[in-house]
Amino acid sequence: MIAAPALSTALPSAATRWPGYRRMSIKPSIAVVEDDDSVREATVGLLRSHGFIAKGFPSAHEFLKSSRIRITSCLIADVQMPNMSGLALYGHLVAVGTPIPTILITAYPDDNMRARALNAGVTGYLPKPFSEKDLLDCIAAAAKHGVALAPVRR
């Protein structure tokens, strides 16, 4: 788990984290799978403010039936959701051959769940509320996994 450093007021943008980002015609695409509307919308808004393409989904099922799987660079998913948990979603994606670097977020942090998730290959595990910096640090770690990028519509 990423340690919780002090919140910085000057956080690096996507351009800083991915050299050449502003010159490219592609942007990192992040899916946020969260059943709490306010958390999902706030997280999507934060990501967009940092230059990411972000799309929210209210459930794992909605994400899985979307066409976004092919272009998702990073998945942020709640641990506890109805029908399919964030960890089960990650496991499903790995099992069907479409692994996506995944960050799990949770309002109920649990050391055993954290260990299971990280041992399964999840990129990050963040307790809610998480800091902007911690989330961006996890996304930067996900970027090191050779992720897909989404084409920008002009």
Side-chain angles (χ1 to χ4, degrees), residues 1-2 74-79 85-94 99-105 113-126 138 141-142 145:
M1 183 167 116
I2 295 180
C74 179
L75 174 65
I76 299 170
D78 191 8
V79 170
S85 71
L87 185 55
L89 172 58
Y90 173 77
H92 174 79
L93 292 169
V94 170
I100 298 171
T102 300
I103 300 164
L104 294 180
I105 58 177
M113 174 57 76
R114 177 184 172 275
R116 276 183 48 212
L118 295 175
N119 286 335
V122 169
T123 303
Y125 182 93
L126 295 174
C138 282
H145 285 85

Side-chain angles (χ1 to χ4, degrees), residues 63-77:
F63 175 68
L64 290 172
K65 74 178 191 178
S66 78
S67 62
R68 302 289 294 201
I69 292 173
R70 295 178 290 111
I71 62 167
T72 298
S73 304
C74 179
L75 174 65
I76 299 170

